[in-house]
Structures are given as C-alpha cells and as structure tokens.
C-alpha cells in the first residue's frame, strides 16, 4: 500500500527543512575550519575567500591539543571500560536473582539519574581533597579522580539499560548452561553476555560519549597536565584574538572519532535502546 | 533445598534438551545468597563514594555558613541552621528573587525544549519509517548532532550567534532583511531563544533514536489491517502509532525532562560562568552562587531544594504513568 501523495510531499518538505537545520552548523564548522583568520573575523561568508589547511596545522601548537587528546582518551576510555564491566555484573545480579534490598538498589540507581551534576561538584571536590590529605592519593586534579567521577555518572544509565537487556535474554538459556555445568559466572560470560552484545555496545558508546563531552567536572577537577579536550578548547580564545578557524578545526578533530564511532555502532545503540531503556 | 526447586528443574528440563545430560549442580546456600551482593559490590562502593556520600555532605553543607574562608576545613564552618534555606526562598530579597526567576526560566525552557525535541523527533521517526532512497543516509545524518561532543557543538553555535561575524545575523539581517540592525544573541532577551535553539538542535536526535526504536516494535499487520478498514495515513498515526508508542514516550519524556532540566554543559559553554538573566538556567545559577559569589552554603541549600523538586516531579510522574498503564486500554 503506497502512502498518499500529500503525505509524501509534506514528508519531503519537512525532511528537507530538518536536514538544513542539522547541516548548517556542521557546514559552518567544516567551512570555517578551512578559512584564513581574516575570513572568520570579518563578516560571515558562506564560501571561503581562499581554502587553507593552515588551521589544522596551527591547532597543535596554539594549545597543547595532543596532550588534551591523550588525556581525554585515557579518561573516557578507562571510564567506559570500568563502567561497562561493573554494570554487567550489577545488571546480571538484578536481572537474575531475588535478594533483599534489590528494590532499594534499583530505585537508588534510577534516582541518581535525576540528580543535577552541580549537586555533587563541591562535595566531591571536598572528598577528593580530604582523601588526598589523609592517604596521599591525589584524586583531585588527577586523571584517576576524573575517571572515578565519570564512571559513576554513566553507571546508573548503563545498569538500568543492561537490566532491561538481560531480562530480554531468555532465562532458560543460562539455566540450561548451569545445568550443563557452568557456574553462575560461567553462564553470565558464556551465554548472557554474548546474547547481550548489542546492549553492551550501546552502553559502552553512551559511557564514552558522556565522558568525552563532559565539561563541568573537567573544568573544575583538572590541572595543566590533566586537562581534557572539553576545557582545552577554550585556549583558542586569547585576550586579543579568537581563533575561530582553529576552534572549528580543533572541534572537528575532536568530534570525528566519536561521531564516526557512533555512526558505526548506532545500529547496536538502537537495538540496545529497544531492549533496555524503551521497555 | 527449597520446595520450588523440583518444579523449576522440571521447567528447565522441559524447555532445554541439554538438561537431561547430568544432574543440576546446586551452588551452596551461602554462595547463592552472597553472590548477588558480591556482584553488586563494585557498583555499590562507587555509588556510595561518588553519589551518596557527596549527597549527605551536600545536605550537611546546606546547614552551614560555608564561605571561602572555611573551604579548606569545612567541618569547622559555623552552623547556620535554616538560614541558607530562608535566604533561598525569601522571594522578596535579591537572592531568593533571582533563584525564583531562574527556576521559572528553567521550567519554561525545559517544557519548550522537551516538547520541541519530542515533536521533531517523533515526526522524523515517522517520516523515516518506510523504506525509500536516501533513508539510511538521512538517519545517520540526523544522529550527528547527538553524537557531537557538547562543547564542540555549542562552540559552533556560539560562533554562529556572534554579533559581527556570525551566520545568524548575516542571514537574518544582511540576506533576508528581517531585522533593522544585527541583534545580540548571547546577551539580553534573545539569549533564551539562542539557548532553546541549541538545546533542541542537540537534543531532538535522542527522541528520534528512541521513537525509532519504539516504532520497530509495532507489528506491521496492525497498519495493514487498519488500511484495509479504510484508515488514512493520519488516522493510522493517531490510532496505532501514537498509542503503541505510549510506554516508550513515558520513559523518553521523563529522561528528556531530567536531562534538560539539569543541563549544565550547554548554557555554560554558550554563556560562560554567568548567564544572561533571560537564560539563567538553574544549574548555572547554583554554580554561580557557589563558585562565583563563593557562598557554598547557600548554593548547597539551593541544590537540596532543586533535588526535592525533582523528586516530587519524578515521583508524581511515575505514579501517574503507572496508573495509566494499568488502565484497560493501555
């Protein structure tokens, strides 16, 4: 059955407008990153007067972008790995066992989702400083402190999504595995985890993106050597000049890995959301 | 052994042929009871360190007169009893008045942003439900704003909103002649529009993603049956698509609401530490009260008030939607 003509036309118009809305900033980012400085400080132009890759060379020396990149990669990568592993264990426990305090746990996990990040900023700062004073472990200003912070922000969402996902893996499967001689952990790793790969990938993508894009904690809890991209990009605005072409070039360099990864894995994300969050 | 074990075993045996191969290994009682807690332990410890303990400290701080002088050793700060709360809710005095204003701005902003994100996301998902040429490309394209790191996306918008060299003024003033002179977008009343635009641009793909996932669960036969009965496109959307999406939408709207309401990154990158009055979202407002005017006690009291509000709203929402779910239709 073909949809009516009027629907086809309104769909065409709507999708065109929406594509424009989505694409214009992306176009501005790309085109401005290829313009000479004079071109971005003057009146806006849709087309560059001359194309140059100079901004892509200069971004690495105006600010230590390479170092920020490595910092972000370490922080986001570690937070993702830890968050996925911990979420898998917790979600398995919640999905497969009944135990005292289960409801309290799930409600707590769910409700930490609704807390504004600002609520934790100062107390965490104080805790990290206190731990540092008491034990000599420098959490404040270190990558470790930031990893710890980030992984707990993605943890509630990850657990929540994985519970839904694990619930959709038939219980018979891991019970059969246990009958065949697997322990509970064997059943988890041989049956449940492989069956839940889309959900786990979705959770990992989400955790990585959250950590890669976080601004608040990164700006308060890092120092010169541990600064991440989120904060580092501010370095392109100096007292005299704002290097818009370099900002756009750096933004693109920073965005391409996550956007590419996301688009490659979005199939899994949709599948994960269907089974998890959407339930 | 519990009394239900044989029944469970029978059920397993019935459903899986492998069960006949050997006797079921039963873990010891202690292991069975202890295991779930063991599995939860890492998550519990981390939640405790990064969420629960800070929350308790935050609540304690809200009862203290905590200024920059006491921050090194915050335990020694004098008790303020309810003073911080009184200041925060005294809507005739400057601090309370500003907080109330910021709260109302945040509510208006959140409702508009969530509404628009949902509307655009749902419309786009419905438009991409059928297969047609270029559908995959559009789908990928629409996810780009969501995939971009917040700060790079917002910085690009900052550039576009620049007074002298921005695209927005160039298009509205120079090219279309809609305004008498170039407007300011990041200060003054326009800043609300600017913030809303960026928030919707960044947020609608999430709604799109979730609704798209929800649409996949609607059986095609429903549409075919409806078409046979003579239901038009719009009627099918109203009678089949939207009702089937209801459970999905309930989760989606709640998540969008909480994320938008608590959003800090977007206004912070767009405006900096102090937002213009018209776009003074509550997160930035509390940040400013704490870290710019150095009154951590008042900032904490505001955070606790905000938290109470979110608890009430979320609780009410969950009760309402679960009641809806129990209704005969849903």
């Amino acid at each position: 059955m073909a949809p009516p003509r009027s629907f086809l036309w309104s769909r065409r118009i709507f999708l065109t407008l929406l594509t424009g809305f989505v694409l214009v900033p992306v176009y501005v980012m790309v085109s401005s990153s290829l313009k000479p400085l004079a071109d971005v400080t003057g009146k806006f132009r849709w087309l560059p007067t001359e194309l140059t890759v100079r901004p892509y060379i200069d971004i690495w020396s105006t600010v230590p972008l390479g170092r920020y990149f490595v910092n972000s990669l370490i922080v986001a990568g570690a937070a993702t790995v830890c968050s996925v592993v911990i979420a898998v264990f917790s979600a398995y426990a919640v999905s497969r066992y009944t135990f005292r305090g289960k409801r309290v746990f799930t409600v707590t996990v769910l409700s930490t989702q609704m807390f504004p990040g600002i609520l934790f900023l100062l107390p965490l700062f104080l805790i990290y400083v206190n731990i540092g004073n008491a034990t000599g472990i420098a959490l404040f200003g270190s990558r470790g402190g930031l990893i710890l912070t980030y992984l707990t922000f993605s943890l509630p969402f990850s657990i929540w999504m994985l519970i839904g996902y694990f619930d959709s893996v038939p219980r018979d499967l891991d019970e059969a595995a246990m009958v065949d001689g697997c322990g509970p952990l064997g059943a988890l790793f041989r049956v449940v985890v492989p069956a839940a790969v889309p959900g786990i990938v979705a959770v990992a993508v989400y955790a990585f993106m959250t950590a890669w894009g976080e601004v608040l904690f990164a700006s308060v809890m890092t120092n010169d050597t541990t600064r991440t991209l989120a904060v580092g990009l501010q370095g392109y605005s100096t007292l005299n000049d704002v290097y818009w072409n370099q900002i756009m070039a750096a933004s693109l360099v920073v965005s391409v890995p996550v956007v590419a990864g996301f688009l490659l894995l979005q199939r899994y994300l949709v599948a994960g959301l269907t089974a998890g969050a959407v339930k | 052994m519990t009394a239900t074990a044989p029944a469970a075993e029978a059920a397993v045996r019935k459903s899986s042929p492998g069960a006949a191969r050997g006797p079921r290994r039963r873990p010891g009682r202690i292991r069975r009871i202890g295991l779930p807690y063991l599995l939860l332990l890492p998550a519990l410890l981390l939640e405790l360190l990064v969420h629960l303990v800070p929350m308790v400290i935050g609540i304690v701080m809200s009862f203290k007169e905590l200024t920059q002088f006491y921050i090194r050793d915050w335990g020694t700060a004098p008790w303020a009893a309810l003073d911080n709360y009184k200041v925060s809710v005294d809507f005739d005095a400057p601090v309370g008045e500003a907080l109330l204003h910021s709260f109302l701005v945040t509510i208006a902003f959140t409702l508009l942003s969530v509404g628009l994100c949902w509307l655009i996301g749902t419309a786009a998902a419905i438009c991409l439900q059928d297969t047609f040429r270029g559908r995959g490309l559009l789908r990928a394209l629409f996810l780009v704003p969501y995939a971009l790191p917040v700060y790079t996306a917002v910085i690009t918008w900052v550039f576009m909103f620049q007074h002298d060299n921005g695209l927005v003024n160039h298009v509205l003033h120079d090219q279309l002649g809609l305004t008498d002179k170039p407007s300011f977008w990041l200060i003054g009343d326009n800043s609300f529009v600017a913030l809303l635009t960026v928030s919707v641009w960044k947020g609608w793909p999430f709604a799109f993603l979730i609704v798209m996932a929800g649409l996949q669960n609607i059986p095609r036969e429903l549409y075919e049956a409806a078409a046979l009965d003579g239901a038009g496109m719009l009627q099918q959307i109203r009678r089949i698509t939207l009702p089937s999406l209801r459970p999905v939408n309930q989760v989606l709207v709640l998540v969008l609401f909480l994320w938008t309401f608590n959003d800090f990154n977007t206004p912070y990158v767009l405006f900096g530490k102090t937002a213009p009055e018209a776009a003074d979202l509550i997160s930035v407002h509390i940040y400013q009260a704490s870290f710019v005017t150095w009154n951590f006690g008042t900032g904490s009291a505001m955070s606790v008030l905000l938290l109470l509000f979110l608890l009430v709203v979320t609780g009410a929402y969950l009760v309402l939607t679960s009641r809806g779910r129990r209704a005969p239709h849903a």
Side-chain angles (χ1 to χ4, degrees):
Chain A
M1 160 223 48
R5 197 159 271 276
S6 60
F7 173 77
L8 288 181
W9 270 107
S10 36
R11 178 168 84 181
R12 227 164 265 165
I13 294 167
F14 173 72
L15 289 178
T16 308
L17 287 175
L18 195 57
T19 309
F21 181 52
V22 167
L23 273 189
V24 164
V26 178
Y27 172 76
V28 168
M29 209 193 253
V30 176
S31 66
S32 307
S33 75
L34 294 167
K35 289 176 178 179
L37 187 62
D39 230 8
V40 287
T41 47
K43 208 155 211 28
F44 179 83
R45 265 184 250 267
W46 285 99
L47 296 172
T49 46
E50 70 169 274
L51 280 175
T52 168
V53 291
R54 193 80 221 161
Y56 285 90
I57 300 164
D58 292 341
I59 47 174
W60 304 96
S61 51
T62 311
V63 304
L65 189 68
R67 194 203 299 156
Y68 301 154
F69 215 96
V70 172
N71 283 337
S72 279
L73 216 63
I74 292 174
V75 171
T80 304
V81 171
C82 298
S83 148
V84 168
V85 171
I86 295 171
V88 162
F89 285 127
S90 318
Y92 182 65
V94 172
S95 166
R96 292 301 197 257
Y97 289 89
T98 43
F99 53 90
R100 275 165 83 89
K102 177 168 160 172
R103 228 188 122 60
V104 177
F105 178 78
T106 44
V107 168
T108 313
V109 163
L110 259 180
S111 51
T112 48
Q113 269 286 297
M114 60 194 264
F115 299 158
I118 184 77
L119 182 75
F120 304 108
L121 181 61
L122 184 65
L124 264 182
F125 164 76
L126 295 175
I127 292 175
Y128 286 0
V129 169
N130 281 357
I131 290 181
N133 289 343
T135 64
I137 304 170
L139 282 175
F140 183 73
S142 74
R143 295 194 200 102
L146 212 55
I147 293 170
L148 206 61
T149 318
Y150 285 174
L151 86 89
T152 36
F153 283 125
S154 45
L155 201 55
F157 188 80
S158 308
I159 294 177
W160 183 37
M161 257 180 70
L162 281 186
I163 291 173
Y165 213 90
F166 285 177
D167 279 347
S168 72
V169 177
R171 215 169 255 263
D172 294 349
L173 281 182
D174 45 312
E175 277 175 4
M178 285 202 243
V179 168
D180 284 346
C182 282
L185 288 184
L188 169 62
F189 285 113
R190 287 179 190 204
V191 179
V192 182
V193 166
V197 162
I200 292 170
V201 174
V203 162
V205 171
Y206 174 81
F208 192 85
M209 280 173 51
T210 328
W212 194 256
E214 206 280 335
V215 180
L216 174 61
F217 287 83
S219 56
V220 177
M221 293 207 175
T222 54
N223 57 30
D224 280 350
T225 52
T226 55
R227 194 155 293 160
T228 60
L229 291 166
V231 195
L233 247 51
Q234 290 165 7
Y236 294 103
S237 324
T238 62
L239 275 179
N240 306 317
D241 273 311
V242 181
Y243 299 109
W244 281 116
N245 51 351
Q246 290 191 40
I247 294 180
M248 294 299 130
S251 295
L252 264 168
V253 169
V254 166
S255 304
V256 163
V258 266
V259 174
F262 180 83
L263 292 182
L264 278 176
L265 298 171
Q266 47 117 350
R267 231 168 260 286
Y268 289 104
L269 197 79
V270 174
L273 287 169
T274 322
V278 148
K279 262 227 172 112
Chain B
M1 281 323 109
T2 51
T4 51
E9 211 172 48
V12 168
R13 212 167 265 150
K14 217 188 292 169
S15 57
S16 62
R21 242 181 268 161
R24 187 172 176 185
R25 226 178 52 180
R26 293 164 202 282
R29 196 180 157 74
I30 295 177
R31 251 188 82 197
R32 237 181 353 170
I33 295 176
L35 188 69
Y37 295 110
L38 206 64
L39 290 171
L40 290 182
L41 195 66
L44 278 177
L45 284 179
L46 283 167
E47 287 281 317
L48 211 64
L49 176 68
V50 181
H51 280 135
L52 299 181
V53 175
M55 222 164 65
V56 173
I57 294 181
I59 292 171
V60 173
M61 287 195 324
S62 71
F63 292 107
K64 291 201 164 214
E65 199 179 291
L66 198 64
T67 52
Q68 73 267 42
F69 306 114
Y70 296 105
I71 205 70
R72 286 266 145 232
D73 196 4
W74 64 279
T76 61
W79 275 97
L82 287 174
D83 282 0
N84 291 323
Y85 289 91
K86 281 184 195 142
V87 170
S88 302
V89 296
D90 181 1
F91 300 138
D92 295 325
V95 174
E97 198 193 342
L99 181 67
L100 181 66
H101 171 81
S102 162
F103 176 75
L104 294 176
V105 167
T106 312
I107 293 273
F109 163 74
T110 308
L111 292 180
L112 280 170
S113 175
V114 172
L116 285 170
C117 283
W118 180 82
L119 204 66
I120 300 177
T122 306
I126 289 176
C127 283
L128 293 196
Q129 207 176 356
D130 299 322
T131 37
F132 57 87
R133 248 179 51 169
R135 171 172 171 260
L137 182 72
L138 278 183
R139 204 172 96 139
L141 204 69
F142 286 169
L143 294 176
V144 168
Y146 178 67
L148 279 175
V150 188
Y151 49 91
T152 61
V154 181
I155 283 178
T156 308
W157 278 98
V158 170
F159 178 52
M160 287 164 53
F161 280 129
Q162 291 296 302
H163 181 260
D164 297 322
N165 55 351
L167 167 140
V168 177
N169 277 343
H170 179 67
V171 171
L172 292 184
H173 178 71
D174 303 348
Q175 296 194 312
L176 299 175
L178 292 174
T179 49
D180 297 337
K181 52 180 193 297
S183 336
F184 286 97
W185 292 99
L186 300 176
I187 50 174
D189 287 346
N190 287 338
S191 55
F192 186 83
V193 180
L195 181 62
L196 189 65
T197 310
V198 179
S199 172
V200 170
W201 186 82
K202 188 89 186 71
W204 78 265
F206 182 73
F208 169 66
L209 202 61
I210 299 272
V211 173
M212 221 165 41
L215 287 178
Q216 290 175 354
N217 292 341
I218 305 176
R220 304 243 30 119
E221 298 86 59
L222 278 182
Y223 291 105
E224 279 154 26
L228 278 181
D229 288 344
M233 202 71 202
L234 282 178
Q235 257 190 322
Q236 288 179 22
I237 291 175
R238 237 190 58 201
R239 298 285 161 100
I240 302 174
T241 313
L242 292 179
S244 312
L245 282 177
R246 193 197 269 173
V248 174
N249 278 332
Q250 285 172 350
V251 178
L252 171 63
V253 167
L254 181 64
V255 170
L256 272 181
F257 177 86
L258 291 173
W259 283 352
T260 315
F261 198 90
N262 293 332
D263 190 15
F264 177 89
N265 295 337
T266 311
Y268 184 75
V269 180
L270 203 55
F271 305 120
K273 286 184 174 148
T274 309
E277 219 184 308
D280 189 21
L281 294 193
I282 199 107
S283 292
V284 177
H285 189 83
I286 293 176
Y287 178 88
Q288 200 221 359
S290 311
F291 287 89
V292 180
T293 52
W294 298 104
N295 204 331
F296 297 106
T298 323
S300 302
M302 290 174 178
S303 303
V304 174
L305 290 173
L306 177 64
L307 192 58
L308 288 176
F309 170 76
L310 290 174
L311 276 173
V312 170
V313 170
T314 312
Y317 185 83
L318 289 178
V319 168
L320 281 177
T321 50
S322 66
R323 203 171 279 162
R325 216 169 276 171
R326 253 180 262 132
H329 282 293

